[in-house]
Amino acid sequence: MANQPIIGVLALQGAYDVHAQRLRELGAEARLIRKPDQLQGLNGLIIPGGESTTFLKHLERAGFYDALNAFVQTKPTFGTCAGCILLAKDVANPTQPSFGVLDIAVERNAYGRQNDSKILLEPTSLPGGPLEMVFIRAPRIARTGPAVETLATRDGSPTLVRQGHLLAATFHPELSHDTRVHQLFLDLVRQNSNTPEPAQA
Ligand code: GLN
């Protein structure tokens, strides 16, 4: 991998532009991904927040679901909020299809109406103290498997988790000025830079 990692941001809906901006601030090349063949040549991918059901609808076209499914099996991927739901093994409230690569169970929209959106300063094991977390109709991680490391929590539930080449957050790190979470993903991309390209669908 060249010094400047190439990170795709899935740009079908949701908060993709701000993710791209954060990545560029940290010295990465950010590409907006709107077609499955654009997944080729990426060192990593962010699946942003939005509405996971709408993502699934968009992905139905032109083999996008299968291409993305192949990508997330081996290539560094960071799912935020709806993106976290798409990576999760088990999805509840209601159940819906997902790539199932990240060994967690999520409950969609789990923090109740009065808590639809909230900015909190919560504990994290990342160096630098508590982390600002912006929650928007956030899912709750109800279970983590043995290979999953919890890096931050809200009321005892994980909000930032890592498993091998995968990172997921139930909040929106792109809406905070704290760049530690995007930096963490770029570090994970560097550590996993030798993964081969997924087979062409
Ligand atoms: N509530 C959304 C869902 O269930 C996620 C919200 C978000 O991504 N901010 O997909």
Side-chain angles (χ1 to χ4, degrees):
M1 180 173 64
N3 270 348
Q4 193 187 31
I6 305 168
I7 310 295
V9 183
L10 194 65
L12 299 176
Q13 59 127 205
Y16 49 83
D17 265 333
V18 200
H19 275 294
Q21 197 179 314
R22 291 279 171 271
L23 290 168
R24 289 179 189 129
E25 284 164 13
L26 294 171
E29 179 184 334
R31 290 186 190 163
L32 299 183
I33 305 302
R34 296 199 165 92
K35 292 185 200 145
D37 58 3
Q38 294 173 323
L39 293 169
Q40 285 294 316
L42 298 180
N43 300 121
L45 178 75
I46 292 182
I47 306 179
E51 196 58 45
S52 53
T53 45
T54 312
F55 269 115
L56 287 170
K57 234 174 254 161
H58 283 297
L59 289 171
E60 274 168 19
R61 66 180 162 84
F64 215 150
Y65 188 91
D66 291 343
L68 202 53
N69 192 28
F71 187 95
V72 302
Q73 304 296 324
T74 57
K75 298 291 273 186
T77 303
F78 179 21
T80 66
C81 209
C84 169
I85 295 170
L86 290 181
L87 294 177
K89 192 166 192 177
D90 301 307
V91 181
N93 192 34
T95 54
Q96 66 185 33
S98 60
F99 299 122
V101 275
L102 180 59
D103 190 11
I104 60 171
V106 292
E107 199 187 328
R108 295 179 60 208
N109 304 315
Y111 289 102
R113 264 196 184 196
Q114 72 282 20
N115 273 338
D116 264 0
S117 300
K118 210 167 199 179
I119 303 176
L120 299 173
L121 203 62
E122 295 288 313
T124 176
S125 58
L126 298 183
L131 189 62
E132 185 183 69
M133 302 182 199
V134 180
F135 294 95
I136 305 171
R137 286 172 45 80
R140 192 174 73 86
I141 297 178
R143 176 191 69 78
T144 56
V148 176
E149 189 187 353
T150 296
L151 302 171
T153 55
R154 168 183 178 179
D155 302 331
S157 295
T159 55
L160 179 65
V161 294
R162 179 168 57 188
Q163 178 195 313
H165 64 289
L166 302 169
L167 185 68
T170 58
F171 55 96
H172 282 251
E174 79 283 7
L175 297 180
S176 161
H177 288 288
D178 192 326
T179 53
R180 277 180 288 168
V181 178
H182 284 87
Q183 187 58 58
L184 179 73
F185 181 56
L186 292 179
D187 294 343
L188 182 147
V189 168
R190 277 200 185 89
Q191 286 153 14
N192 290 272
S193 60
N194 292 327
T195 46
E197 290 288 320
Q200 289 265 31

